[in-house]
Amino acid sequence: MKYYIAAPFGNYLHRPDMYSVMGTYTVQPRPGLLKQILKTLRYSFHYNGWTNKLGLRNPGIHHAIHKYYQNPSRRIISIYGFNKGEWETLAEYTKGVRRIELNLSCPNVENKFNNTGCPVELFQGAIVKMSPLTTEEEIVMYMERGVRRWHFSNTLPVRQGGLSGKTLMQYNRKLIKFTLGEDKSAKIIGGGGITNMSDVRFYKDLGCSGVSLGTVCFWPFALRKFSVFDE
């Protein structure tokens, strides 16, 4: 089982036995991250999870490439394009990058290009990070276009923004089972609500080859409870 520190925590947290997902990065810088964190990051007792409206605030793909090559063996770049042209530009910038995650499901942007608009053929071997509301038709469509590596899932769209936490597990169970039912060789990262090894076993028992740690990263020292992954 492999462990991935989810973006944006992967920008700051690193362990030699885990992959750090940096991002999500766009072609052009989108300033205002700290302001959005202070303004929108909240724990919701109603939903029993964290919500945010960060809206892909980031310093741009140039910054991402520089950081990636500081330790390419343990870093992954998460990227997002607002249209086909931006995806094509990102494909050029990331040539030579060994590990890429395509964020196809940010709930906090006005442009709902999201799941169906990315030219995934330009990113052979990339991980695709999907929405908890992904349809079976979308999964099959991307399978037919060559996708074999998946991340279920991104945050759930709610009124306060994107919801993370254990609520995602019920959505992810269905999506993971369907995907592996269609493609037994698919590699899937399960992410959502992982706070202990019992949650890791939940995703492992579903057939995941890795897990994404996001919720637990609000308490960084809690990462110590997770065992190292098997290569």
Side-chain angles (χ1 to χ4, degrees), residues 67-152:
K67 286 191 66 175
Y68 169 81
Y69 280 110
Q70 292 176 4
N71 186 10
S73 66
R74 281 291 177 264
R75 293 184 178 177
I76 299 170
I77 299 179
S78 173
I79 57 177
Y80 180 93
F82 284 92
N83 51 56
K84 184 179 179 181
E86 288 200 359
W87 280 117
E88 291 172 346
T89 299
L90 289 167
E92 288 296 318
Y93 275 119
T94 56
K95 281 184 177 178
V97 174
R98 186 177 175 186
R99 297 180 181 88
I100 300 172
E101 181 176 85
L102 310 180
N103 184 349
L104 305 187
S105 47
C106 177
N108 295 323
V109 292
E110 294 180 2
N111 184 347
K112 298 303 180 183
F113 201 56
N114 289 344
N115 277 4
T116 58
C118 177
V120 293
E121 294 82 0
L122 300 178
F123 303 92
Q124 294 297 318
I127 302 163
V128 294
K129 186 177 185 180
M130 306 297 282
S131 165
L133 302 180
T134 297
T135 66
E136 294 179 355
E137 289 76 14
E138 288 170 341
I139 293 172
V140 171
M141 177 270 292
Y142 274 131
M143 284 183 176
E144 291 175 346
R145 294 168 60 186
V147 172
R148 295 295 178 268
R149 294 167 62 88
W150 308 82
H151 180 173
F152 295 111

Side-chain angles (χ1 to χ4, degrees), residues 148-206:
R148 295 295 178 268
R149 294 167 62 88
W150 308 82
H151 180 173
F152 295 111
S153 62
N154 209 329
T155 54
L156 180 70
V158 295
R159 183 171 57 86
Q160 293 90 336
L163 171 68
S164 60
K166 294 191 182 295
T167 299
L168 296 176
M169 298 173 87
Q170 60 184 310
Y171 294 90
N172 292 342
R173 179 192 289 113
K174 178 181 177 181
L175 294 170
I176 291 165
K177 285 186 174 181
F178 176 80
T179 301
L180 288 174
E182 295 292 311
D183 179 7
K184 292 181 173 56
S185 65
K187 300 295 183 182
I188 298 179
I189 299 170
I194 297 175
T195 57
N196 53 54
M197 288 303 295
S198 177
D199 297 325
V200 172
R201 286 191 290 273
F202 167 84
Y203 285 108
K204 184 175 182 180
D205 290 346
L206 286 174

